[in-house]
Amino acid sequence: MHRKPVLAANWKLNHTPNDARAFLQRFLAQVPKLNERTLVFFPSAMTVGTVIEGLKDRPEIWVGVQNVHGEAQGAFTGENSVLMARDIGARVVLVGHSERRHVFGETDAQTTKKMALIAQARLTPMLCVGETLEEREAGRTGEVVERQLAAGLAELEDAQVAGIMLAYEPVWAIGTGRTATPADASEIHGVLRRALASRVGDKAAAGIPILYGGSVNRGNATQLLAAPDVDGLLVGGASLDADSWASIVRA
């Protein structure tokens, strides 16, 4: 089955609204409409509106948010909700990014709640899974990513599972310059695909894009995208420069 590659830029805590305007001007000049791949931007919450406005003539490019709170509304100062994300025009929500898990202490239980809320709001969740270096060296990679995946899907109906995106990002490869080899990525993507198939069947599982994230750059993007079962890339640092990101999305 041919899945349309998904190329996602996670800007993390970078790029003010003014930075984003300048970035989009430079980026869009280099990237004509690409029908054969889906592009997604994940700006910070305060920059999302600017990016959505800047892409109004390019509806084929999706904009997402990096996080939402696990409740739809309430007394949660400083948080953002799924309804706010949807209202502003976001289409995708990152869930369980390794920094949310390891810097902010998010649990599998919180991932479960967020995934359910996002699906109910008819937004697309992009669930991130990945192991630490210790877990990898202990031979526990498969077990860890399957546990994280199961938690993410726990409260979803099968039809909702079929509409998610998945990203494998080994924690030891994020921002370290160490990248999983294309063979490493393929192996774990295969584990994830089989776990999805056991939940929703082969046909639905075959339609779910599984992205790789972790020190992706211009130099390794093409090789990673060519690996079996790698359906896209979730890119951090290399997506912050308009020229670098333009060359990756054209890879």
Side-chain angles (χ1 to χ4, degrees):
M1 158 131 189
H2 177 70
R3 289 171 292 271
K4 195 190 236 191
V6 179
L7 297 160
N10 177 14
W11 284 356
K12 307 187 183 185
L13 190 56
N14 297 289
H15 286 337
T16 65
N18 278 337
D19 295 334
R21 282 188 201 97
F23 178 107
L24 288 175
Q25 207 173 4
R26 193 169 174 101
F27 174 78
L28 294 174
Q30 300 178 54
V31 178
K33 187 172 177 184
L34 297 165
N35 294 318
E36 72 287 359
R37 43 192 55 190
T38 301
L39 301 189
V40 188
F41 281 96
F42 290 105
S44 73
M46 288 188 182
T47 300
V48 168
T50 302
V51 172
I52 286 169
E53 173 65 21
L55 291 171
K56 64 180 187 293
D57 296 331
R58 297 290 295 272
E60 84 282 4
I61 301 178
W62 296 24
V63 183
V65 293
Q66 296 174 10
N67 183 41
V68 291
H69 190 63
E71 300 289 341
Q73 59 187 55
F76 304 107
T77 300
E79 294 295 313
N80 298 292
S81 76
V82 286
L83 299 176
M84 292 167 187
R86 189 176 73 186
D87 201 279
I88 203 171
R91 296 173 65 177
V92 200
V93 184
L94 271 184
V95 188
H97 187 279
S98 63
E99 287 157 18
R100 297 304 314 171
R101 295 179 192 266
H102 298 287
V103 179
F104 297 100
E106 276 190 21
T107 61
D108 283 347
Q110 286 172 294
T111 302
T112 301
K113 282 185 79 169
K114 289 182 183 188
M115 288 289 287
L117 267 180
I118 294 160
Q120 284 158 17
R122 295 193 166 82
L123 295 170
T124 299
M126 184 183 286
L127 175 64
C128 301
V129 300
E131 80 285 10
T132 62
L133 187 59
E134 295 73 34
E135 288 164 339
R136 184 176 190 83
E137 287 176 344
R140 293 180 51 223
T141 298
E143 171 203 329
V144 170
V145 299
E146 286 182 29
R147 186 200 80 227
Q148 292 171 337
L149 176 62
L153 306 184
E155 287 182 14
L156 300 191
E157 293 164 10
D158 286 0
Q160 293 172 323
V161 174
I164 74 164
M165 294 178 177
L166 199 52
Y168 167 56
E169 34 155 41
V171 180
W172 50 270
I174 295 169
T176 60
R178 290 180 63 176
T179 314
T181 65
D184 289 334
S186 280
E187 181 193 349
I188 302 306
H189 287 216
V191 168
L192 291 167
R193 185 89 57 204
R194 289 189 291 278
L196 288 167
S198 70
R199 169 65 199 269
V200 293
D202 291 344
K203 186 164 185 269
I208 297 171
I210 306 179
L211 288 68
Y212 170 78
S215 296
V216 177
N217 56 46
R218 291 190 209 205
N220 60 24
T222 306
Q223 263 184 311
L224 285 162
L225 275 175
D229 258 329
V230 176
D231 308 317
L233 302 169
L234 177 59
V235 184
S239 74
L240 294 174
D241 174 79
D243 300 338
S244 156
W245 184 231
S247 73
I248 288 172
V249 302
R250 294 197 311 260

